[in-house]
Structure formats: C-alpha cells, structure tokens
Amino acid sequence: MPRAVCAQCFFLKQNCVCHFIPNVHTDLKVIVFQSLQEAKHPKNTVRLLRLAMPSIQVIPVVSQEDILRELNLLDLTKWCLIYPCDQSTPIEIETKQSLDNYEGILLIDATWRKAFSMYHTCQQFEKMATKHFLSPPKGNYFIRKTSKENALSTFEACVYTLECIEKLDLSALKVFFSQVQQWQWRRNPYISQITR
C-alpha cells in the first residue's frame, strides 16, 4: 500500500516540510537546468528551492536540445551562468552597475562530471557571462557528501548568487534549508550527532 504524500511539498506526510517554508521574493529570474539523474535523487535540493521560491523554472535535461530550446528564448546578454570554468569571473567583484543589468541567473543541477559535459557540449553557454564564487560560505548540506572542497548544493549556490546580485537578506532560506535536513533525517543517529 503506497504511503501518504503531502499534496503541497510532495514529501511523505511524516516528513512534510510545509510548516518550514518561508515567504521569499526576488526580482531576478532563476532557471535551473537539471539532469534527469539529479531529478530522481531523493536528496536533490532543487526540490526545496521550488518550495521556497515557486517562480523558479526547472528545465529537465535529456539532451543538448533541451538546453538550446530554452536559451534561444533568452537575451543571453542579460543572463549569467553560475559555473566555474576558465572564462568565468568572481561574482563577488562585479560592479553594481554590471549586476543591475542582469535579468536572471542560470544554474546547472547535476553531478560535477555531468555538469562539465552539459557545459562543454552547449556552445551557447560560452556566449554568456559566466560567474564563479571567490569566497563562498561554508556549505551546510550535511546529508549528502561530496569530494569537492568548498562545494555548495544547488540550493546554496542559488541563495549565495542572489545575495551577491540583489544584496538581499536571505537568512530565511538558509534556516529553511537547515530545518528541513534536520527534520527529515531526525531519526538518523549520525545526523542527530552533527546537528547538536
């Protein structure tokens, strides 16, 4: 018999996070290109992003055509891609005038290897302003491990980018992110130990 699922957050009712969801607004548009592998992962953080910021657009990526179809609808001079590469520049040192020109941000939600492949097989990405983080905050995604030092989840990368560009106080999103992890993994002895 299938277990009951919350109609709003789509988590199991015993793990419903609706009571944690903050009310956050941003003027910037956000598009996330999400690999199908990541979409199926139970710990993917884009799911939480959409709960906190319903205006976020998530594009499932099966092939390069899925990315191109969306990029061709945008004025790429007014969007920036958050992805560390040879031509990317630190978002922290951008001028206010430059940041004010952005209409939205693009993020890639995938494993490091898949994100690398998605970036290098789509030439449109190379025509865009691409940003990386010079001094990102320490990641707080404690339920999912990574071998990359100073790595941020897609949720955290989005929040930090919005803070840099719009100078917003997004502490409510950070609290939400932490609360959800602790709540959903509250029965795990390891999580209970590291969150004390």
Side-chain angles (χ1 to χ4, degrees), residues 80-186:
C80 73
L81 172 68
I82 308 303
Y83 180 78
C85 58
D86 290 341
Q87 59 264 36
S88 64
T89 57
I91 197 167
E92 294 93 340
I93 65 171
E94 288 290 300
T95 64
K96 183 179 185 305
Q97 181 179 4
S98 174
L99 294 175
D100 285 345
N101 289 331
Y102 290 129
E103 179 181 336
I105 61 171
L106 301 173
L107 299 111
I108 298 175
D109 185 53
T111 62
W112 285 100
R113 179 178 296 181
K114 183 64 177 178
F116 180 87
S117 174
M118 288 166 68
Y119 176 80
H120 287 281
T121 56
C122 183
Q123 294 183 347
Q124 289 288 79
F125 279 146
E126 298 179 3
K127 301 176 182 179
M128 300 181 60
T130 311
K131 307 297 174 187
H132 65 262
F133 303 145
L134 184 64
S135 53
K138 183 179 179 181
N140 189 36
Y141 193 18
F142 47 78
I143 66 171
R144 194 171 177 186
K145 296 180 180 179
T146 177
S147 59
K148 296 287 185 180
E149 189 176 355
N150 297 325
L152 297 180
S153 66
T154 302
F155 185 105
E156 294 168 307
C158 181
V159 171
Y160 184 62
T161 300
L162 294 175
E163 287 179 326
C164 289
I165 296 179
E166 293 196 301
K167 310 303 180 186
L168 298 173
D169 177 7
L170 296 179
S171 55
L173 283 176
K174 298 173 189 177
V175 169
F176 170 63
F177 189 57
S178 181
Q179 286 175 325
V180 167
Q181 291 182 85
Q182 292 180 44
W183 171 247
Q184 294 198 320
W185 294 83
R186 61 195 180 279

Side-chain angles (χ1 to χ4, degrees), residues 4-21 47-48 51 176 179-180 183-184 186-187:
V5 173
C6 173
Q8 180 178 350
C9 70
F10 299 107
F11 285 104
L12 293 176
K13 283 199 171 180
Q14 66 186 34
N15 285 333
C16 172
V17 301
C18 292
H19 53 298
F20 295 127
I21 299 174
R47 189 176 181 183
L48 299 179
L51 289 175
F176 170 63
Q179 286 175 325
V180 167
W183 171 247
Q184 294 198 320
R186 61 195 180 279
R187 296 184 180 89

Side-chain angles (χ1 to χ4, degrees), residues 31 33 70-77 79 103 106 128:
I31 295 176
F33 292 108
E70 186 62 33
L71 294 183
N72 287 337
L73 299 175
L74 306 177
D75 179 352
L76 298 184
T77 64
W79 288 73
E103 179 181 336
L106 301 173
M128 300 181 60

